[in-house]
Every structure is written in C-alpha cells, then in structure tokens.
Amino acid sequence: DTAVSQTPKYLVTQMGNDKSIKCEQNLGHDTMYWYKQDSKKFLKIMFSYNNKELIINETVPNRFSPKSPDKAHLNLHINSLELGDSAVYFCASSQTGTGRGYGYTFGSGTRLTVV
Amino acid sequence: GNSVTQMEGPVTLSEEAFLTINCTYTATGYPSLFWYVQYPGEGLQLLLKATKADDKGSNKGFEATYRKETTSFHLEKGSVQVSDSAVYFCALRGGGNEKLTFGTGTRLTIIP
C-alpha cells in the first residue's frame, strides 16, 4: 500500500482552466502539506493542514485553494490556471507530537503542465 | 528564521569516486537535520537524519554528521554508483510543529 498517494500523476491543461489534485495518506498522520517544486527543483511549501485546520498558508495566489475533508485527505484546487503554475506538486504528511526528529513522508508528485 | 544552504550543483563524478555534498544551516534552538533524495521522476525519500549534535545518520553507504560548532550536516559516500544519480536535499526541522525547511537541492550525476 502506498503511504501517501496523489492523483493524477500527470496533468496537462489549458490556461484558464480549473483543476484539482487529490492526496490521501494511510499512515494515520494528522498533518498534511502541499509543496511546489519548480523547474530548478526548488521546493516551496504552500499549505499545511493539521486535523483539517489550515495552519500554514504561505504567500500563494488565492487561485489556489486547499481542502481537507478529513485528516487523511488534502486536495488542492487551482482556478484560472496560468503558465507559471506549471510545476510538480508534492503532497506530504507527518505526525505532530512525535517531535522535531521526524521528517515528512512524501507522495510521488503531480506534474502539472499548463499550455 | 530557519534556513538551509546547500552546495550548488550540478555535481558530476565517476563511479567509485568519493562524494561530499556540503550543507550548512541557520536555526534557533536545536533542530533536527535530514537528507532527502529524489530519483528521476519520483518523490522525495528520506535518506538519513540526525537529531542532536554529534549524531551520525547513515543509510545505503551515505553518512552525515550533525556538527553544531560549524552548523553543518555534510553528506558523504565513500564510493558512488551510477544508481546514486539523483537530486539530494538537505533539510531541517525545528522544535514544536515547525515546518521542514529545505535547501535548494544538489543534482548528482555519476558516470560509468
């Protein structure tokens, strides 16, 4: 069983469209994240949810809206897609209370291409 | 705030060469330090970690030692293989529920 799974793996869409990426984790973690990786491989955190509550919201256009229906799922909806949104988006999860000694578990990524 | 500075790549080495990828950090308190690896087309995988000063993390022949005096966590491997070709990320996590902060990544290519 995949610990953190994202769908779709690839997404090609036209400018102006609205799209969603889904993420599910079966690790029992209570915190989930979205990261964006640009073409130079730089990783930037976008959002974090803890038990369905938004706890990190970095400087991200409001066209990006995360939704967490339960602590095992964190979806990312993007409105009015732009060329600059093309990137690989990674979902990750972790468990609070386990201390700073624990990293995150990452999904395999969704490569979004806006044409 | 916390930050991680990594050696800029790309790094190209011949098989069986010795590898060092430098990583230094700035943080308040006593963070934990991590190395993640991203193979082509895949997500990030935890390679190794260290949670306190002088700890050594190791995995798959890679090692890194938490050096508080030099605020460093350099990644080393004695003899690299073609299969080690990947992007390597140094990261830190502070106390509480602080987020994981990544370096910019170092692309490593090993040629036969």
Side-chain angles (χ1 to χ4, degrees):
Chain A
D1 276 350
T2 304
V4 180
S5 59
Q6 295 180 228
T7 54
K9 190 170 175 63
Y10 300 97
L11 183 54
V12 181
T13 187
Q14 290 187 326
M15 279 175 52
N17 283 353
D18 303 338
K19 291 293 179 185
S20 291
I21 306 171
K22 296 186 177 183
C23 179
E24 176 181 6
Q25 54 94 5
N26 63 5
L27 298 167
H29 289 166
D30 62 1
T31 306
M32 296 182 72
Y33 311 83
W34 279 111
Y35 277 81
K36 179 180 180 180
Q37 186 177 48
D38 63 21
S39 59
K40 296 184 178 178
K41 300 295 186 182
F42 183 69
L43 280 160
K44 180 176 168 53
I45 192 167
M46 301 172 70
F47 302 104
S48 172
Y49 268 75
N50 176 262
N51 278 320
K52 302 192 297 176
E53 286 195 33
L54 182 65
I55 57 170
I56 293 176
N57 184 354
E58 297 288 308
T59 306
V60 175
N62 58 13
R63 298 181 294 104
F64 290 79
S65 52
K67 284 194 171 44
S68 182
D70 55 62
K71 71 176 189 178
H73 295 84
L74 180 62
N75 302 323
L76 183 65
H77 188 76
I78 316 170
N79 289 327
S80 304
L81 278 155
E82 300 178 356
L83 292 176
D85 298 331
S86 297
V88 181
Y89 292 84
F90 286 102
C91 178
S93 71
S94 69
Q95 178 64 34
T96 56
T98 52
R100 57 183 172 74
Y102 289 83
Y104 300 170
T105 302
F106 282 82
S108 57
T110 296
R111 182 175 293 277
L112 171 66
T113 304
V114 182
V115 297
Chain B
N2 296 339
S3 67
V4 177
T5 302
Q6 266 185 255
M7 168 179 178
E8 286 203 22
V11 174
T12 302
L13 294 172
S14 297
E15 206 165 20
E16 299 183 4
F18 184 86
L19 168 72
T20 301
I21 300 178
N22 290 338
C23 171
T24 57
Y25 67 90
T26 302
T28 54
Y30 302 95
S32 288
L33 302 172
F34 305 84
W35 276 100
Y36 279 81
V37 59
Q38 184 179 23
Y39 297 105
E42 297 185 14
L44 279 77
Q45 302 173 26
L46 180 63
L47 180 60
L48 54 84
K49 69 178 184 182
T51 59
K52 61 183 188 296
D54 300 326
D55 265 4
K56 178 187 282 189
S58 60
N59 186 23
K60 298 182 182 179
F62 290 89
E63 292 183 340
T65 301
Y66 190 142
R67 301 282 188 206
K68 192 167 187 299
E69 63 277 13
T70 54
T71 60
S72 64
F73 193 55
H74 305 322
L75 182 68
E76 297 182 337
K77 187 175 185 182
S79 176
V80 292
Q81 306 300 313
V82 172
S83 57
D84 294 327
S85 298
V87 181
Y88 292 81
F89 293 90
C90 186
L92 71 81
R93 189 175 187 190
N97 195 28
E98 286 190 30
K99 64 184 180 186
L100 199 57
T101 299
F102 285 93
T104 52
T106 302
R107 184 183 295 277
L108 173 67
T109 302
I110 307 300
I111 52 176

